[in-house]
Amino acid sequence: MANGEGSSARLRRPAQVAEAIKSLIVEGGLRAGDRLPTEAELIDRFQKAKSTVREAMRILEAQGIVTTRSGPGGGTFVAAVSSERASALLANYFYFQNLSIEEVYEVRRALEPELAASLAGRLTDLQLDDLEAILERYPAAPKTAEEEREHHVASLRFHGKLAEIADNQLLGFIIGFIAKILTDLTVYRHLYKAPNEALWREGREHQRALLAALRSGNARAARQVMRSHMTTAQRLMEAQAAEVGKRFIA
Amino acid sequence: MANGEGSSARLRRPAQVAEAIKSLIVEGGLRAGDRLPTEAELIDRFQKAKSTVREAMRILEAQGIVTTRSGPGGGTFVAAVSSERASALLANYFYFQNLSIEEVYEVRRALEPELAASLAGRLTDLQLDDLEAILERYPAAPKTAEEEREHHVASLRFHGKLAEIADNQLLGFIIGFIAKILTDLTVYRHLYKAPNEALWREGREHQRALLAALRSGNARAARQVMRSHMTTAQRLMEAQAAEVGKRFIA
DNA sequence: TAAGATTTGTTCGTATGTATC
DNA sequence: GGATACATACGAACAAATCTT
């Protein structure tokens, strides 16, 4: 498990203990749900003060790899890091970066069509209906900036849903992450320009066509439609002149 | 800034304080290097015990968004999350996932050619020489499993270097992250098959051709060469029958 | 329901370490 | 080297959560 500090930096005691506990997990081959020694045992084993051990636990908890419960039968347990947690931690990194729309879309243009192609013909009717439902929630063109924002969030949810369904966990995570930061950006953005109806209509046509291609199992068409959709989406975003980066977060 | 917990979960006090401090950062528009109130001031402001505040600090430190120094003029400071830290935290997520070679390469095949194309003709002589130097460190075909491993790590450093140079920070981060997990996998893997010389030679030719395309500024060629290179690299990896995922970490 | 047991959660006071002037 | 200002570490006492009986 990665230690997260530059290996040169001298670690303070809580961080040292946290590393030692990580070793217990890795060396011991512990899996999600497995129990770690109690606080008292750890204090005894490492010969450290209670607060030191507790700070170590907070470090591991912040990273999402353990959870703690009090009470009998409680204790500290190994946890599989959730994708939500991983996304949130990664978002902190980009908080300090200032991504441009162009940067985000260069990645989307490369990945989303692949995901679409890989999913063609592999979705259940239930999943297809879910996707359809997302589109149906906003059948009319947005009239106000507020409506435009809701449309955009719904559209991103569509992509987030595709990401969840992905067989490829890495691809799914990345696409889901991008949908998340674009959603946060959209939600917390307060300056809007007038909705661009032509672009909206074009985007909507693409999503319909995409759904049809996914349903019929036409991977080539799905890839092609998603490619066009990304181009349109990028133009929509740029038309809004939003800036990604600082302030895209909760 | 993302809070990292499911928003429904009731937070304990250290986590509450950590969130409050995050708010100080976000609402106050604080930037990397800015100073937060001293421990004593935070204890006073939040009316919490010293250890509670300290546990909160460990949480923020683990996420990479603050650093602390003792001594006069010391205290807690906002830090830009480093890409290394972000990578390490993200690697913890995939520790529990078990990615296949195929999954990783589906993403590499889509992204690395784009990066190569975007870099063509934009590298300094110094950067090109750095890349050349990485290739030159292993001019001969690997004879042993050990040598083969070193070659592979060097090749991944080549990709990591390209990722560092990338103008697109998102694209660069993703490619750097993938190079990192593949490197960790390679380093900590202890079972090797015999090196496949034909594939090695093919990969090497690709990297040479790529360097030439980058130097001459031929974006189309760079993209095309990288595409072939990815195919070869995937076959090399699969020939080694390594499994990504569990145990790819330190 | 209530009491007791177990385990983490929180507080406080004190002492120590560390960097700057 | 001494004073100062800060974080770091310790440990004892008590609170809260939650399981068992």
Side-chain angles (χ1 to χ4, degrees):
Chain A
M1 188 128 28
N3 80 25
E5 328 276 338
S7 48
S8 56
R10 215 179 84 266
L11 298 183
R12 282 165 302 194
R13 264 193 269 251
Q16 281 174 25
V17 172
E19 288 308 313
I21 295 171
K22 267 191 201 174
S23 295
L24 290 182
I25 297 173
V26 174
E27 309 300 330
L30 302 191
R31 321 234 286 163
D34 288 352
R35 196 179 170 158
L36 277 91
T38 65
E39 200 178 83
E41 281 167 354
L42 292 169
I43 290 166
D44 195 58
R45 170 160 353 180
F46 297 119
Q47 289 296 299
K48 293 286 171 289
K50 175 168 182 150
S51 358
T52 304
V53 172
R54 304 200 93 251
E55 286 179 38
M57 282 307 180
R58 293 299 83 74
I59 290 171
L60 298 174
E61 229 173 26
Q63 297 178 177
I65 65 191
V66 308
T67 58
T68 59
R69 286 198 299 277
S70 57
T76 306
F77 301 85
V78 177
V81 179
S82 70
S83 64
E84 289 77 16
R85 175 70 60 105
S87 268
L89 293 170
L90 189 55
N92 288 341
Y93 169 66
F94 288 104
Y95 176 77
F96 293 96
Q97 296 293 327
N98 274 69
L99 291 177
S100 67
I101 301 284
E102 165 60 21
E103 289 175 294
V104 173
Y105 273 85
E106 186 175 4
V107 173
R108 290 195 89 186
R109 283 199 314 266
L111 295 184
E112 296 258 11
E114 290 313 305
L115 175 60
S118 75
L119 251 35
R122 311 190 46 144
L123 302 188
T124 65
D125 285 344
L126 189 64
Q127 292 170 327
L128 287 162
D129 291 348
D130 275 3
L131 290 169
E132 189 107 32
I134 293 175
L135 294 191
E136 286 314 318
R137 282 191 57 182
Y138 299 100
K143 295 281 181 275
T144 65
E146 178 67 15
E147 271 186 28
E148 198 277 338
R149 198 195 63 187
E150 286 170 3
H151 272 74
H152 194 208
V153 169
S155 163
L156 287 166
R157 197 159 57 240
F158 183 89
H159 291 273
K161 187 84 187 167
L162 290 180
E164 279 175 29
I165 297 168
D167 292 315
N168 184 329
Q169 301 173 91
L170 178 57
L171 184 58
F173 177 83
I174 297 171
I175 290 179
F177 174 72
I178 292 176
K180 170 192 155 58
I181 63 176
L182 289 176
T183 300
D184 291 348
L185 168 66
T186 304
V187 169
Y188 289 96
R189 175 171 46 126
H190 286 118
L191 297 169
Y192 306 101
K193 297 202 172 164
N196 181 328
E197 171 144 3
L199 282 175
W200 172 83
R201 195 170 301 281
E202 208 176 322
R204 181 166 182 78
E205 289 310 312
H206 283 138
Q207 287 189 318
R208 297 224 134 281
L210 177 61
L211 216 45
L214 290 175
R215 219 179 265 280
S216 69
N218 187 339
R220 181 182 299 267
R223 177 184 283 112
Q224 188 54 51
V225 169
M226 184 63 101
R227 206 173 279 156
S228 309
H229 179 49
M230 284 297 108
T231 306
T232 305
Q234 178 170 3
R235 278 198 292 146
L236 256 172
M237 285 293 282
E238 283 171 346
Q240 302 288 107
E243 52 172 280
V244 197
K246 286 229 180 291
R247 302 289 96 81
F248 67 69
I249 356 201
Chain B
M1 191 128 29
N3 80 25
E5 328 274 337
S7 48
S8 56
R10 212 180 87 267
L11 298 183
R12 281 165 304 194
R13 262 193 270 249
Q16 282 174 24
V17 172
E19 287 310 312
I21 295 171
K22 267 191 201 175
S23 294
L24 290 183
I25 297 174
V26 173
E27 308 301 332
L30 301 191
R31 322 234 285 163
D34 288 352
R35 198 180 166 151
L36 284 134
T38 65
E39 198 177 87
E41 281 167 354
L42 291 170
I43 289 166
D44 195 58
R45 168 155 2 175
F46 296 119
Q47 288 296 302
K48 293 287 171 290
K50 181 176 214 146
S51 353
T52 303
V53 171
R54 304 199 96 252
E55 286 179 39
M57 282 308 177
R58 295 297 85 75
I59 290 171
L60 298 174
E61 229 173 25
Q63 298 178 355
I65 65 190
V66 307
T67 57
T68 57
R69 287 197 299 276
S70 55
T76 306
F77 300 84
V78 177
V81 179
S82 70
S83 64
E84 290 77 19
R85 175 69 60 103
S87 269
L89 293 170
L90 188 55
N92 289 340
Y93 169 65
F94 288 104
Y95 177 77
F96 293 97
Q97 295 295 326
N98 275 69
L99 292 177
S100 68
I101 301 283
E102 165 59 21
E103 287 174 295
V104 173
Y105 275 85
E106 186 174 4
V107 173
R108 289 195 91 188
R109 281 199 316 266
L111 294 184
E112 297 258 12
E114 290 312 305
L115 175 60
S118 75
L119 251 35
R122 312 191 44 143
L123 302 188
T124 65
D125 286 345
L126 189 65
Q127 291 170 328
L128 287 162
D129 291 348
D130 275 4
L131 291 169
E132 189 108 34
I134 293 174
L135 294 191
E136 287 314 320
R137 281 192 58 181
Y138 299 99
K143 296 281 180 275
T144 66
E146 178 65 17
E147 273 185 25
E148 198 278 338
R149 198 195 62 185
E150 287 170 3
H151 273 74
H152 194 210
V153 169
S155 162
L156 288 165
R157 197 160 55 239
F158 183 90
H159 290 274
K161 186 84 187 166
L162 290 181
E164 280 175 29
I165 297 169
D167 292 314
N168 184 327
Q169 302 174 90
L170 178 58
L171 183 57
F173 177 83
I174 297 170
I175 290 179
F177 174 72
I178 292 176
K180 170 192 155 59
I181 63 176
L182 289 176
T183 300
D184 291 348
L185 168 67
T186 304
V187 170
Y188 290 96
R189 172 172 48 127
H190 287 118
L191 297 169
Y192 306 100
K193 297 203 171 164
N196 181 328
E197 172 145 0
L199 281 176
W200 172 83
R201 195 170 301 280
E202 209 176 321
R204 181 164 181 77
E205 289 311 311
H206 282 138
Q207 286 189 318
R208 294 224 135 282
L210 177 60
L211 215 45
L214 290 175
R215 219 180 263 283
S216 70
N218 187 338
R220 182 182 297 267
R223 178 184 280 110
Q224 189 54 51
V225 169
M226 185 63 100
R227 206 172 279 154
S228 307
H229 179 50
M230 284 297 108
T231 307
T232 305
Q234 178 169 5
R235 278 197 292 146
L236 256 171
M237 285 292 283
E238 283 172 347
Q240 302 288 107
E243 53 171 280
V244 198
K246 285 227 184 293
R247 298 293 95 79
F248 69 69
I249 355 201

